[in-house]
Amino acid sequence: MEVRTPDPDPEPEGSASVPSAVGPGWLSDIELEQVRHRMPVLYVEAVPVRVDGLGQVTEVGLLLRANALGEITRTIVSGRVMYGETLRDALFRHLEKDLGPMAFPQLPASPVPFMVAEYFPIPGVSPYSDDRQHAVSLAYVVPVTGTCEPRQDALELTWMSPAEASAPQVAAELEGGRGALVRAALASVGVLP
Amino acid sequence: MEVRTPDPDPEPEGSASVPSAVGPGWLSDIELEQVRHRMPVLYVEAVPVRVDGLGQVTEVGLLLRANALGEITRTIVSGRVMYGETLRDALFRHLEKDLGPMAFPQLPASPVPFMVAEYFPIPGVSPYSDDRQHAVSLAYVVPVTGTCEPRQDALELTWMSPAEASAPQVAAELEGGRGALVRAALASVGVLP
Amino acid sequence: MEVRTPDPDPEPEGSASVPSAVGPGWLSDIELEQVRHRMPVLYVEAVPVRVDGLGQVTEVGLLLRANALGEITRTIVSGRVMYGETLRDALFRHLEKDLGPMAFPQLPASPVPFMVAEYFPIPGVSPYSDDRQHAVSLAYVVPVTGTCEPRQDALELTWMSPAEASAPQVAAELEGGRGALVRAALASVGVLP
Amino acid sequence: MEVRTPDPDPEPEGSASVPSAVGPGWLSDIELEQVRHRMPVLYVEAVPVRVDGLGQVTEVGLLLRANALGEITRTIVSGRVMYGETLRDALFRHLEKDLGPMAFPQLPASPVPFMVAEYFPIPGVSPYSDDRQHAVSLAYVVPVTGTCEPRQDALELTWMSPAEASAPQVAAELEGGRGALVRAALASVGVLP
């Protein structure tokens, strides 16, 4: 049984859609646990935004979630890239998983992320940390044009102005140092105050 | 009277919508001519593209046009930034001017261009040249989702595959060295062969 | 006589090296004043940084300056692009002007800036303002490896940690909204807290 | 025993410096082989360049190498990111490994790559392929200022002009589709013809 943790990659590895007893390309929970301590794990992350008619970012969407300890934390769209999966497929899969099927995200034309975030198990090596693993994440700003319906374990998606999203109190609520990542996202689109 | 030249910034400066006898912010034809030999002129340019559901570029749109000498040349969306105008406003204005009101361009969230192109009156200083002026252009890749109807002086908008658009014969038909700019656009979105 | 103002482009236009009575390509003070109200003026800006052996930014250099009102303000390297001048030449010229001949700046291999800053005469149109003109600036992060000796009208170049340089009180001292530009610079190199 | 293959990540996994019987963070040859068919493997790649005094790229360095079949192939600096290793450390390690200790590479201030290259075991999924694994590579343009001495299994480092390096015959000699990556590198610094 899988215990839901404050997991930036929370798809159940043993769920029906991604069976545990699988061929090459899929890892069982135990295998994933082992590999996580042997190799950096590749992630994609997305900062969902609303844009106006001229493409200017007007709002930023942050996910609100209760973690295993009952604490409320914020995060962004985030998840692992599977074996054989393109970055675009992974990005789309995690956007749909976290924002629902009606979010209509506009994936970027360029595969170059606005930032590469390095998460280390020990805090302090970089601005980002993840006690489960060494993860390297390609992070994108993704405009969404539809209606977002976060899945069950996320309490809600909160839309904020760039000023609100970059405030220190919001940064403190973001998991793993992602406050810096959200600010970098806002800076990359010219709206960080 | 204005003679239509193979002008990458062809809005009639003396037209009804942009009157010649104007206050600060607008230049008469004569003034523009003078300034063009005194200061670099700021341009925005756009390479229109079609993308698939995952944001991947599938086609590139190039404008076909007959110049004053009756030669057929190709170009991209291109035009001057006016005094007091934001880059986004200028980009939208030139996209609408060149692709029509139903093109529905998706302007980028980031104001950072994929390339800065420097056009000098004398060829050879940079890959780009413009015998009328020293222009510096911020160039963007812009997905368009609607129907493009080029305005009268453009014969048509031709959609090409990335491989076709980057071929030497197409590059040779592009004005002012813009073959290199189209290839840089394709490279920036990961589809230059 | 030229009155020194808190000018982000402070080279004396009428000085010996750039004579006022000049041919095409150079503007007299009066002409510049006129053009500044008719066209956006192209600038380059540089945020000087120190990097460690692996390229990571460790310090940011901000210029301290007394303006015409006797107020102490901070700024970054900034100046106009001249007619016929390449962006690289302009960037190098202004770096040498503001940091002295022994700064040994490492100009970026890519001409793409980390941000395009739009300065409007009226505050509020964008994060940046300049009451003299509509300026559009291509902004770069530039590592300097030598010794910086700011020229006379700058009091000093202050090296700060990324955390110090992004603090609100420093942002408030930066001219024309450049606090946001310095933060965007830090974000672009992954060191904005 | 390790057979030298045309390997873009050729450090001997079982060599003295990286022992085969190791703790967390290092994979034995067998383990690496297994993981390579279960997860995308994170790589860093570097296109070494020479720049002039203004930062403009003048030459590109390509490695020449005989593969296991005795064929001469070209490649760029390339290698795996280890568990617990930062991207900068990995980039520096592979630059030193491939170019020698006197190359004095200038690592970029920004961790954002010019391109993300996705290598799949089956050609055609993306422009890049690697029959050993699914690898995702963050690719950087890196100016080198010193003397390059390729290690033993590389025959030489060849410096070429941008025009030479982007020619079809050179692209055909580059392993795994890296011709497109070299062209994208040249485009990102504004020197792709």
Side-chain angles (χ1 to χ4, degrees):
Chain A
M1 200 202 77
E2 191 183 359
V3 177
R4 178 71 64 199
T5 56
D7 187 337
D9 175 28
E11 76 275 18
E13 300 282 342
S15 74
S17 63
V18 184
S20 184
V22 286
W26 301 101
L27 295 167
S28 70
D29 286 4
I30 292 169
E31 286 173 317
L32 178 61
E33 199 53 41
Q34 289 174 334
V35 168
R36 275 182 163 158
H37 295 283
R38 309 304 282 273
M39 279 182 70
V41 181
L42 183 66
Y43 271 64
V44 285
E45 298 194 281
V47 178
V49 297
R50 297 280 190 197
V51 297
D52 67 15
L54 294 174
Q56 180 96 39
V57 169
T58 55
E59 288 184 305
V60 182
L62 298 181
L63 292 161
L64 202 65
R65 181 180 289 165
N67 70 14
L69 304 174
E71 298 163 343
I72 304 294
T73 61
R74 293 187 191 277
T75 193
I76 55 175
V77 175
S78 178
R80 224 158 41 85
V81 181
M82 297 295 183
Y83 179 84
E85 189 180 41
T86 67
L87 293 171
R88 290 182 186 281
D89 281 327
L91 200 50
F92 190 83
R93 179 168 60 86
H94 290 292
L95 283 161
E96 190 168 56
K97 181 196 66 178
D98 282 353
L99 303 183
M102 305 299 283
F104 300 129
Q106 293 179 344
L107 267 63
S110 170
V112 176
F114 74 85
M115 186 48 57
V116 182
E118 304 180 68
Y119 295 84
F120 289 98
I122 299 166
V125 181
S126 83
Y128 309 104
S129 65
D130 183 340
D131 55 19
R132 298 169 307 154
Q133 60 190 347
H134 173 197
V136 175
S137 150
L138 309 180
Y140 301 88
V141 173
V142 179
V144 297
T145 59
T147 307
C148 297
E149 295 181 356
R151 57 205 174 84
Q152 291 165 314
D153 72 329
L155 301 178
E156 66 170 57
L157 180 78
T158 314
W159 290 106
M160 300 181 185
S161 70
E164 290 166 341
S166 58
Q169 59 269 35
V170 169
E173 293 168 3
L174 278 154
E175 296 178 336
R178 285 182 181 80
L181 196 57
V182 168
R183 281 196 288 263
L186 295 169
S188 76
V189 294
V191 298
L192 181 74
Chain B
M1 200 203 76
E2 190 184 1
V3 178
R4 177 72 65 197
T5 56
D7 188 334
D9 175 29
E11 76 275 17
E13 301 282 343
S15 76
S17 64
V18 184
S20 182
V22 286
W26 301 100
L27 296 166
S28 71
D29 287 5
I30 292 169
E31 286 173 317
L32 178 61
E33 199 53 41
Q34 289 174 334
V35 168
R36 275 182 162 157
H37 296 283
R38 310 303 283 275
M39 277 182 71
V41 181
L42 183 66
Y43 271 64
V44 285
E45 297 193 283
V47 178
V49 297
R50 296 280 191 199
V51 297
D52 67 16
L54 294 175
Q56 180 96 39
V57 169
T58 55
E59 288 184 306
V60 182
L62 298 180
L63 292 160
L64 201 66
R65 182 181 289 166
N67 70 13
L69 303 174
E71 299 163 343
I72 304 293
T73 61
R74 294 188 191 275
T75 193
I76 56 175
V77 174
S78 178
R80 222 157 43 83
V81 181
M82 297 295 182
Y83 179 85
E85 189 181 39
T86 67
L87 293 170
R88 290 183 186 279
D89 280 328
L91 198 51
F92 190 84
R93 179 169 59 85
H94 291 293
L95 283 161
E96 189 166 57
K97 181 197 67 181
D98 281 354
L99 304 183
M102 306 299 285
F104 300 129
Q106 293 179 342
L107 266 63
S110 172
V112 176
F114 74 85
M115 188 47 58
V116 181
E118 304 180 67
Y119 295 85
F120 289 99
I122 299 165
V125 181
S126 83
Y128 310 104
S129 63
D130 182 340
D131 56 18
R132 297 168 309 153
Q133 62 191 343
H134 173 197
V136 174
S137 152
L138 308 181
Y140 301 88
V141 172
V142 178
V144 297
T145 58
T147 308
C148 296
E149 294 181 356
R151 59 208 170 79
Q152 291 164 316
D153 73 329
L155 300 179
E156 67 170 57
L157 179 77
T158 314
W159 290 105
M160 301 180 183
S161 71
E164 289 166 342
S166 57
Q169 59 270 34
V170 169
E173 293 168 5
L174 278 154
E175 296 178 337
R178 285 182 182 79
L181 196 57
V182 169
R183 280 196 289 262
L186 295 169
S188 76
V189 294
V191 299
L192 181 75
Chain C
M1 199 202 77
E2 189 184 359
V3 178
R4 178 71 64 198
T5 56
D7 188 337
D9 176 27
E11 77 276 18
E13 301 282 341
S15 75
S17 63
V18 185
S20 184
V22 285
W26 300 101
L27 295 166
S28 71
D29 286 4
I30 292 168
E31 285 172 318
L32 178 61
E33 198 53 41
Q34 290 174 333
V35 167
R36 276 182 162 158
H37 296 283
R38 309 304 283 273
M39 278 182 72
V41 181
L42 182 66
Y43 270 64
V44 285
E45 298 193 283
V47 177
V49 296
R50 297 280 190 198
V51 296
D52 68 15
L54 295 175
Q56 181 95 41
V57 169
T58 55
E59 289 183 305
V60 182
L62 298 181
L63 292 160
L64 201 66
R65 182 180 288 166
N67 70 13
L69 303 175
E71 298 163 342
I72 305 294
T73 61
R74 295 187 189 276
T75 194
I76 56 175
V77 174
S78 178
R80 226 160 38 86
V81 181
M82 298 294 183
Y83 180 85
E85 189 181 40
T86 67
L87 292 171
R88 289 182 186 281
D89 280 327
L91 199 50
F92 190 84
R93 179 168 60 84
H94 290 293
L95 283 161
E96 189 167 56
K97 180 196 67 179
D98 282 353
L99 303 183
M102 305 300 283
F104 300 128
Q106 293 178 344
L107 267 62
S110 170
V112 176
F114 74 85
M115 188 46 59
V116 182
E118 303 180 69
Y119 295 85
F120 288 99
I122 299 166
V125 181
S126 84
Y128 310 104
S129 65
D130 182 339
D131 55 18
R132 299 168 307 153
Q133 61 189 346
H134 173 197
V136 175
S137 151
L138 309 181
Y140 301 87
V141 172
V142 178
V144 296
T145 58
T147 307
C148 296
E149 295 181 356
R151 60 210 168 78
Q152 292 165 313
D153 72 330
L155 301 179
E156 67 171 56
L157 179 78
T158 314
W159 290 106
M160 299 181 185
S161 71
E164 290 166 341
S166 57
Q169 60 269 33
V170 170
E173 294 168 3
L174 278 155
E175 295 178 338
R178 284 181 181 81
L181 196 57
V182 169
R183 281 196 288 262
L186 295 170
S188 77
V189 294
V191 298
L192 181 73
Chain D
M1 198 202 78
E2 190 182 359
V3 177
R4 178 70 66 198
T5 56
D7 188 336
D9 176 29
E11 76 276 19
E13 300 282 343
S15 75
S17 64
V18 184
S20 183
V22 287
W26 301 100
L27 296 166
S28 69
D29 286 4
I30 292 169
E31 286 173 315
L32 178 61
E33 199 54 42
Q34 288 174 333
V35 168
R36 275 180 163 160
H37 295 283
R38 309 303 283 274
M39 279 182 71
V41 181
L42 183 66
Y43 270 65
V44 285
E45 299 194 282
V47 178
V49 297
R50 297 280 191 198
V51 297
D52 67 15
L54 294 174
Q56 180 95 41
V57 169
T58 54
E59 288 183 307
V60 182
L62 298 181
L63 292 160
L64 202 65
R65 181 180 291 167
N67 69 14
L69 304 174
E71 298 163 343
I72 304 294
T73 61
R74 294 188 191 275
T75 193
I76 56 175
V77 174
S78 179
R80 219 155 49 81
V81 181
M82 298 295 183
Y83 179 85
E85 190 181 39
T86 67
L87 292 170
R88 291 183 185 281
D89 281 327
L91 198 50
F92 190 84
R93 178 168 60 86
H94 290 293
L95 282 161
E96 189 167 57
K97 180 196 67 178
D98 281 353
L99 303 183
M102 305 300 283
F104 299 129
Q106 294 179 344
L107 266 64
S110 171
V112 176
F114 73 86
M115 187 49 57
V116 181
E118 303 180 68
Y119 295 84
F120 289 98
I122 299 165
V125 181
S126 84
Y128 310 104
S129 64
D130 183 340
D131 55 19
R132 299 169 305 153
Q133 61 190 346
H134 173 197
V136 175
S137 150
L138 308 181
Y140 300 89
V141 173
V142 179
V144 296
T145 58
T147 307
C148 296
E149 293 182 357
R151 60 209 169 79
Q152 290 165 313
D153 72 331
L155 300 178
E156 67 171 56
L157 179 78
T158 314
W159 291 105
M160 301 181 184
S161 72
E164 289 166 343
S166 57
Q169 59 270 34
V170 170
E173 293 167 4
L174 277 154
E175 296 178 335
R178 285 183 181 78
L181 196 57
V182 168
R183 281 197 289 262
L186 295 168
S188 75
V189 294
V191 298
L192 181 74

